[in-house]
Amino acid sequence: MPAITRPHQRRGRRAHRLFASAAALVTAGALAAALPATASAGERHQHTGGHHRSGRFQDVQLLSFNDLHGNLEPPAGSSGRVTELQPDGTTRTVDAGGMEYLATHLRQARQGHRYSITAAAGDMVGASPLISGLFHDEPTIDALNKLDLDVTSVGNHEFDEGAGELARLQNGGCHPTDGCYGDEGFDGADFPYLAANVIDDKTGRPILKPYWVWKKRGVRIGFIGVTLEGTPNIVSADGVKGLTFKDEADTINKYARILQRQGVQSIVALIHEGGYPASSSYNYDCDSPGAGDGISGPIVDIARRISPAVDALVTGHTHQAYVCTIPDPAGRPRLVTSASSFGRLYTDTTLTYDRATGDIVRTAVRSENHAVTRDVPRAADMTELIDEWGALAAPVGNRPIGYISADIGNTGTESPLGDLIADAQLAYGRSLDPDTDLALMNPGGIRAPLTYAAKGAEGDGVVTYAEGFTVQPFSNTVNLQDFTGAQLIQVLKEQVSGSNEAAPRILQPSAGLTWTLDLTRSGADRVVTDSIRLDGRPIDPAATYRVATNSFLAGGGDGFPTLAQGTGELVGTDDLAALEQYLTARSSADAPIAPPAADRVTVVR
């Protein structure tokens, strides 16, 4: 690859921000109610007086986000929008995201705050668009350094290329296969990645730091970082080889005790696991009608088991937006936040630090999600970074690979893009083995929609290699395996049972494969056995079927253990190449591909 002039990298921890302090962010009334009964009148006056430069109480700003996934450029289509709840109860969509705008919003938010921390909850890299993914996400680490990120937990996607590559992103050095992309090398992250619950089987210790303490003028706040315990179920086996992932709450409780023994009483957990709010609006009140009533999912159980010593939880993974309070084991409400994904939102939280106790006055905590709108000036340093890496990626990314007649979306129980990718894998499978019967695609492997509107100079309706890479960035291979009909039925049952029972993962089927998903039933029965058809004929439990999947599914990923039991495996090319071949062979400027109807799965509600 041609050389690129790399942005200057800062080594070591930078000095904390020097912005002048501004007026208090909490009201005197709310704060007075939060103060300990022993606080003197003088202490109360100092705390509510506005600047908090001295005295017992100090407001600390915590800015947070999660699941960036290397989205340096503004994400396209629905991936680049958020839903905002209006005062009259209606909603509107807002274009959001892009590192140039996220940097501006965070820098504006920090103004006036002498005590400000920026933290993240994992998946900063992995499943990234071409501009970052092509270079093993070095551009994203460069951008996060410029963004003044202080600390992040690891997420499952930090393990897409294995623990060795994660260590390189932390510590620097050239890629072991592709080498260096410029004369200056790669210095790694200025911020610590925290991996408290990721244990190296050889040493029995966390692979990276388990916690980190932010310090400024006597204020100390500890951060513990974990990823979801189920990471091995959603990452390729090679990515997590030699690692054990421990329970999230148990791990956080362990290190909270260690921090307390070190005299750190204020603690924030960065957790790459999340929940599902009752509304998709980023400013929805998920404490309605009561604390935590508007949220469900894994984070609820985790939050209820985490020690009361932990003052706030910054979460991620589910790509949802929420600011909730979920009761801790002592029954006290505790803040739990998430800022959607792809840099479309950030969370602004005020933590009130009590210098007398070293702890957070939890009842005074305030928090709100904010959209990263694109109506602010772009950050010049981010524009320069994007332009430099974009120029290096352009010869690869701008190549047309197909044509579409309209947006092809990736949302819904069954999505048009899911069907298109399954059809592409079936066609590729039949090019290897004409007896291939069907293909199945996991929805989590589809990272973005295909949009009709041009992103650059390619023209409307043109699908570029960069857009295809953004859709399927994992470099999985397309694998063929033989299954009995009984095994195939079991695979489809696993969409809604086992580890997928609480949060179903509906596979995207190739043309000819149909079934009914009856949501009025429970467990595996939600997939109606008698409804499963291939080309209109019932699946024969005793027959053998040749099935195409990506290598992640073929290894049993996403909670489909039966897919790891196939026989006669044949490993083909990568899945993006299969999609490219399909689009190139079946579309042209004069005859673009239309979105599939997404009518292969019948849903009963």
Side-chain angles (χ1 to χ4, degrees):
M1 288 185 178
I4 184 171
T5 302
R6 296 181 54 77
H8 174 65
Q9 298 256 345
R10 302 170 303 285
R11 299 308 298 157
R13 296 308 302 157
R14 60 192 175 278
H16 288 292
R17 303 172 184 88
L18 301 177
F19 295 122
S21 180
L25 294 182
V26 290
T27 65
L31 206 44
L35 295 179
T38 56
S40 68
E43 287 171 336
R44 290 175 186 268
H45 178 73
Q46 282 182 321
H47 189 44
T48 58
H51 295 289
H52 311 306
R53 292 181 178 176
S54 61
R56 176 171 172 177
F57 298 97
Q58 175 63 56
D59 283 350
V60 179
Q61 180 188 56
L62 174 61
L63 302 174
S64 58
F65 57 98
N66 51 276
D67 296 274
L68 179 65
H69 290 290
N71 277 266
L72 303 183
E73 298 174 296
S78 59
S79 296
R81 303 186 191 105
V82 293
T83 301
E84 182 179 72
L85 184 65
Q86 301 297 292
D88 63 0
T90 61
T91 61
R92 72 181 184 109
T93 58
V94 179
D95 290 339
M99 185 58 73
E100 296 158 296
Y101 303 107
L102 177 61
T104 297
H105 277 278
L106 291 181
R107 290 164 182 171
Q108 290 178 348
R110 291 174 188 144
Q111 292 177 13
H113 295 275
R114 296 178 65 187
Y115 294 75
S116 184
I117 310 166
T118 303
D123 276 7
M124 296 297 96
V125 300
S128 305
L130 186 88
I131 191 175
S132 186
L134 188 63
F135 308 106
H136 302 282
D137 281 311
E138 289 182 22
T140 295
I141 299 298
D142 282 350
L144 292 172
N145 287 341
K146 289 178 175 292
L147 196 69
D148 285 347
L149 180 63
D150 285 295
V151 62
T152 183
S153 69
V154 295
N156 55 285
H157 280 286
E158 264 79 19
F159 296 92
D160 283 349
E161 295 189 51
E165 175 63 5
L166 173 57
R168 188 184 75 87
L169 292 180
Q170 177 71 87
N171 300 316
C174 297
H175 190 271
T177 302
D178 293 341
C180 295
Y181 299 113
D183 296 334
E184 297 180 29
F186 174 60
D187 290 335
D190 285 350
F191 51 89
Y193 263 111
L194 304 182
N197 69 329
V198 186
I199 308 302
D200 185 324
D201 291 343
K202 292 182 179 179
T203 67
R205 296 191 296 269
I207 62 169
L208 294 170
K209 291 180 180 180
Y211 62 87
W212 174 77
V213 180
W214 181 87
K215 304 175 183 177
K216 184 170 184 178
R217 299 185 182 182
V219 176
R220 296 196 299 168
I221 301 177
F223 290 82
I224 303 168
V226 300
T227 187
L228 68 155
E229 183 182 10
T231 291
N233 296 327
I234 54 175
V235 174
S236 68
D238 287 342
V240 295
K241 186 177 181 179
L243 303 177
T244 296
F245 292 77
K246 298 289 190 179
D247 179 86
E248 305 94 340
D250 291 347
T251 301
I252 292 168
N253 291 344
K254 170 185 174 180
Y255 286 103
R257 291 190 295 269
I258 291 174
L259 283 168
Q260 287 186 305
R261 287 198 294 269
Q262 296 177 4
V264 178
Q265 304 301 326
S266 297
I267 302 172
V268 176
L270 307 175
I271 308 173
H272 191 70
E273 179 62 289
Y276 300 93
S279 168
S280 61
S281 298
Y282 74 82
N283 54 342
Y284 160 72
D285 179 11
C286 65
D287 280 346
S288 177
D293 286 343
I295 187 171
S296 60
I299 197 60
V300 177
D301 173 67
I302 293 170
R304 291 182 183 275
R305 294 191 295 117
I306 289 176
S307 165
V310 177
D311 298 294
L313 314 180
V314 177
T315 73
H317 185 57
T318 56
H319 292 202
Q320 302 298 307
Y322 47 84
V323 175
C324 301
T325 57
I326 298 175
D328 67 16
R332 298 171 54 208
R334 176 170 51 197
L335 182 70
V336 181
T337 71
S338 177
S340 188
S341 61
F342 305 154
R344 292 176 290 173
L345 299 177
Y346 70 92
T347 311
D348 191 341
T349 301
T350 301
L351 302 172
T352 299
Y353 185 88
D354 185 344
R355 292 181 182 273
T357 64
D359 207 351
I360 299 298
V361 182
R362 211 197 284 176
T363 51
V365 170
R366 291 164 56 95
S367 187
E368 188 175 10
N369 276 331
H370 297 275
V372 177
T373 59
R374 301 174 190 167
D375 57 358
V376 298
R378 295 184 296 172
D381 58 340
M382 295 299 178
T383 300
E384 180 182 8
L385 180 148
I386 290 169
D387 288 347
E388 289 176 341
W389 286 106
L392 192 59
V396 176
N398 291 341
R399 177 168 55 84
I401 63 172
Y403 301 84
I404 56 176
S405 63
D407 289 351
I408 303 181
N410 65 326
T411 58
T413 302
E414 176 192 0
S415 72
L417 187 52
D419 287 355
L420 177 68
I421 291 172
D423 289 346
Q425 293 186 2
L426 175 59
Y428 174 73
R430 285 176 172 169
S431 74
L432 298 181
D433 183 345
D435 289 333
T436 302
D437 295 294
L438 60 102
L440 296 168
M441 177 63 191
N442 59 312
I446 307 169
R447 306 305 298 185
L450 288 176
T451 54
Y452 178 79
K455 288 193 67 177
E458 74 274 12
D460 291 345
V462 179
V463 179
T464 64
Y465 182 84
E467 291 171 316
F469 188 99
T470 300
V471 170
Q472 290 188 278
F474 294 108
S475 297
N476 289 314
T477 56
V478 178
N479 294 8
L480 304 182
Q481 298 180 91
D482 291 331
F483 296 91
T484 66
Q487 287 177 309
L488 179 56
I489 292 169
Q490 178 61 25
V491 166
L492 297 182
K493 296 282 188 180
E494 288 168 357
Q495 298 175 108
V496 291
S497 62
S499 62
N500 292 331
E501 182 161 1
R505 287 190 172 96
I506 305 305
L507 295 169
Q508 308 295 286
S510 58
L513 180 63
T514 59
W515 70 83
T516 296
L517 180 66
D518 188 346
L519 298 180
T520 67
R521 302 184 182 186
S522 60
D525 290 339
R526 284 176 285 183
V527 172
V528 181
T529 304
D530 293 343
S531 72
I532 303 172
R533 298 282 192 277
L534 181 61
D535 297 326
R537 295 185 295 275
I539 297 296
D540 180 354
T544 298
Y545 296 86
R546 193 77 162 146
V547 180
T549 66
N550 61 41
S551 51
F552 171 66
L553 280 177
D558 265 356
F560 292 95
T562 303
L563 284 176
Q565 300 171 13
T567 60
E569 185 171 41
L570 176 63
V571 177
T573 189
D574 70 86
D575 51 7
L576 177 54
L579 177 62
E580 178 180 356
Q581 290 177 21
Y582 187 82
L583 291 174
T584 300
R586 289 168 172 77
S587 69
S588 67
D590 295 329
I593 285 181
D599 57 0
R600 301 166 190 178
V601 180
T602 300
V603 181
V604 177
R605 301 182 188 276

